[in-house]
Amino acid sequence: MGVQVDPSGGACGARITGIDLKAPLDSATVAAIRSAWLEHHVLSFPDQFLNDDELERFTLSFGQFGEDPFFAPIAGRQHIAAIRREAHEQTPLFAENWHADWSFQARPPSGTCLNAMEVPPVGGDTLFANQHLAWEALSPAQQARYADLIAIHSAKLPYAPDGTYGAKDKGRSMDIRPSEAAFATQTHPLVPVHPETGRRGFYSTLGYIIGIEGMAQDQAIALLMELQAWQGDDRFVFAQKWEPGMLVMWDNRSVLHKATGGYEGYRRELHRTTIAAWDG
């Protein structure tokens, strides 16, 4: 059949069928998937049931592995982390705030893949917010307010020893490794140009963004709080529902994402890889 693309009809997202990801992908298929990825930002591949070797091979079709700080990889792997929650777990939900993966890095990943190993029968959607739409929906005057700002990124709020997933975070099944490295900072334009499409959009949000260059901290936080509410507005959001055997990949340069709950009493495990920054 070849690559079949079924757009979600929402702010982003498309369902991809007609291909078997257990088999190596030829260059034409990779190009077709990349084209759909850049257009729709979030792709789901149902009924794939990939093992870890196949997940790694798929990831490498789209770039090198990105660096994953603060997560321990699963046993026997260097580039796969388990996003896991046990049925009995009572800790706060992991990654329940809007973010772009690892935006505090000098060269953040271009994309992320999640492979469904075990998904609950209810709940657990992953939400995505299209940041091109969030930018384009602003008036010219509003765009002028943000267009040239430089954001200061850091992992300190979640991953420092005293952060959300630091020493006070007890009873979590995920193997998270907070460290002093989380205090480092990195700057990126608040509204960069996408390196492959040339389309502008907001990049990351409050949480990993901890300030704005040249702006007083209280003013910066107030601006970022106002902007965060806009970035996650319902009109820009698509809810990805998980199915057994599904693979989902998204473009970290164009969407924010966050986890949702609603599956209390059920186990959930997804295996994650990141795709390194795009080098053309």
Side-chain angles (χ1 to χ4, degrees):
M1 290 174 57
V3 176
Q4 304 294 309
V5 181
D6 181 18
S8 71
C12 55
R15 189 177 177 97
I16 308 298
T17 56
I19 51 175
D20 178 8
L21 301 186
K22 284 184 170 293
L25 303 178
D26 60 33
S27 59
T29 300
V30 170
I33 293 172
R34 181 176 287 277
S35 177
W37 186 48
L38 294 175
E39 180 179 357
H40 299 289
H41 316 292
V42 181
L43 301 182
S44 64
F45 301 81
D47 300 319
Q48 297 295 330
F49 296 95
L50 302 184
N51 63 32
D52 289 328
D53 287 338
E54 293 157 348
L55 171 62
E56 289 187 336
R57 185 177 62 210
F58 175 85
T59 304
L60 290 172
S61 296
F62 298 93
Q64 296 300 307
F65 290 119
E67 179 189 355
D68 282 315
F70 311 118
F71 288 167
I74 63 173
R77 303 284 167 168
Q78 295 183 353
H79 303 292
I80 298 177
I83 309 303
R84 180 190 305 115
R85 187 174 181 84
E86 299 295 346
H88 63 271
E89 199 162 325
Q90 299 297 313
T91 59
L93 197 66
F94 176 73
E96 60 183 336
N97 297 315
W98 290 116
H99 63 287
D101 284 337
W102 306 149
S103 71
F104 50 82
Q105 294 179 328
R107 301 187 74 244
S110 60
T112 303
C113 301
L114 282 183
N115 185 32
M117 307 302 290
E118 183 174 352
V119 294
V122 294
D125 293 358
T126 303
L127 303 185
F128 294 93
N130 185 331
Q131 297 305 287
H132 293 315
L133 294 184
W135 170 250
E136 292 162 1
L138 293 172
S139 69
Q142 290 171 313
Q143 288 182 344
R145 182 185 182 197
Y146 302 117
D148 299 322
L149 297 180
I150 303 298
I152 303 168
H153 297 245
S154 172
K156 71 177 185 178
L157 295 178
Y159 295 115
D162 62 349
T164 301
Y165 303 115
K168 64 184 179 184
D169 187 45
K170 304 293 187 183
R172 188 175 297 279
S173 59
M174 275 186 65
D175 194 351
I176 300 175
R177 304 288 178 89
S179 80
E180 298 287 337
F183 288 108
T185 60
Q186 178 66 49
T187 59
H188 298 292
L190 183 65
V191 195
V193 173
H194 192 290
E196 295 190 69
T197 67
R199 194 175 175 189
R200 291 195 79 174
F202 290 110
Y203 178 59
S204 197
T205 191
L206 183 67
Y208 280 161
I209 298 180
I210 62 167
I212 302 292
E213 272 196 348
M215 187 178 294
Q217 188 66 3
D218 58 343
Q219 293 178 316
I221 295 302
L223 181 149
L224 290 166
M225 290 181 66
E226 176 185 332
L227 181 56
Q228 183 184 55
W230 175 260
Q231 289 177 282
D233 187 277
D234 286 348
R235 80 189 93 166
F236 312 134
V237 174
F238 163 68
Q240 177 64 62
K241 297 188 180 301
W242 285 92
E243 301 169 13
M246 176 174 278
L247 174 74
V248 174
M249 69 181 296
W250 66 88
D251 188 338
N252 270 300
R253 304 159 298 183
S254 60
V255 295
L256 301 177
H257 63 283
K258 70 174 181 177
T260 67
Y263 56 95
E264 293 77 10
Y266 293 100
R267 188 178 189 275
R268 183 175 185 266
E269 181 170 346
L270 310 172
H271 281 189
R272 165 184 157 148
T273 56
T274 58
I275 305 167
W278 186 73
D279 288 322

